[in-house]
Amino acid sequence: MKKIVLISIALLSYSVYSQEEKKEYKKDEKQVYICNSMKSERYHYKKDCRAIQKCQDTIVKILLKKARNIYGRTVCGFETHVESSSRSKN
Ligand SMILES: [Zn+2]
């Protein structure tokens, strides 16, 4: 019995989590591009950025906060102006 409860809790929290994932995209949160390479430390607002054009690996579009929090990326040197203008809104 206890096991069934645990499983249903796990399923419940999973469905809540996936709903939140969807919500993240609905909120139209900023998405950025990263080069899916171990060497890469930056994220980019523009897919046609000259720095990301040098990417030898796959270019992935992800949420800005994921790029920062999960991948530990910092903004591309060519795009710092984009960063500062969006920050002033907060
Ligand atoms: Zn860039």
Side-chain angles (χ1 to χ4, degrees):
M1 189 61 191
K2 209 175 182 184
K3 206 175 185 180
I4 294 163
V5 174
L6 281 174
I7 290 165
S8 54
I9 287 169
L11 284 172
L12 201 73
S13 56
Y14 176 75
S15 63
V16 168
Y17 177 75
S18 52
Q19 269 172 16
E20 273 174 12
E21 280 284 290
K22 277 178 206 156
K23 242 188 270 165
E24 275 187 347
Y25 288 95
K26 268 186 198 164
K27 262 192 283 170
D28 198 29
E29 263 194 85
K30 243 193 189 94
Q31 291 199 294
V32 292
Y33 299 96
I34 60 162
C35 180
N36 193 25
S37 159
M38 295 294 282
K39 286 181 224 162
S40 178
E41 298 173 338
R42 305 291 191 165
Y43 61 81
H44 309 264
Y45 289 98
K46 292 180 201 158
K47 204 184 178 181
D48 58 353
C49 171
R50 53 179 154 161
I52 207 165
Q53 293 302 308
K54 289 177 190 166
C55 177
Q56 302 285 304
D57 222 296
T58 328
I59 296 168
V60 202
K61 192 180 185 184
I62 61 161
L63 286 171
L64 172 61
K65 65 175 177 187
K66 279 190 182 173
R68 280 184 181 162
N69 302 341
I70 298 169
Y71 293 87
R73 303 292 180 101
T74 53
V75 66
C76 160
F78 296 117
E79 293 167 88
T80 45
H81 57 285
V82 184
E83 187 91 323
S84 51
S85 63
S86 65
R87 232 180 237 166
S88 59
K89 273 183 203 164
N90 299 328

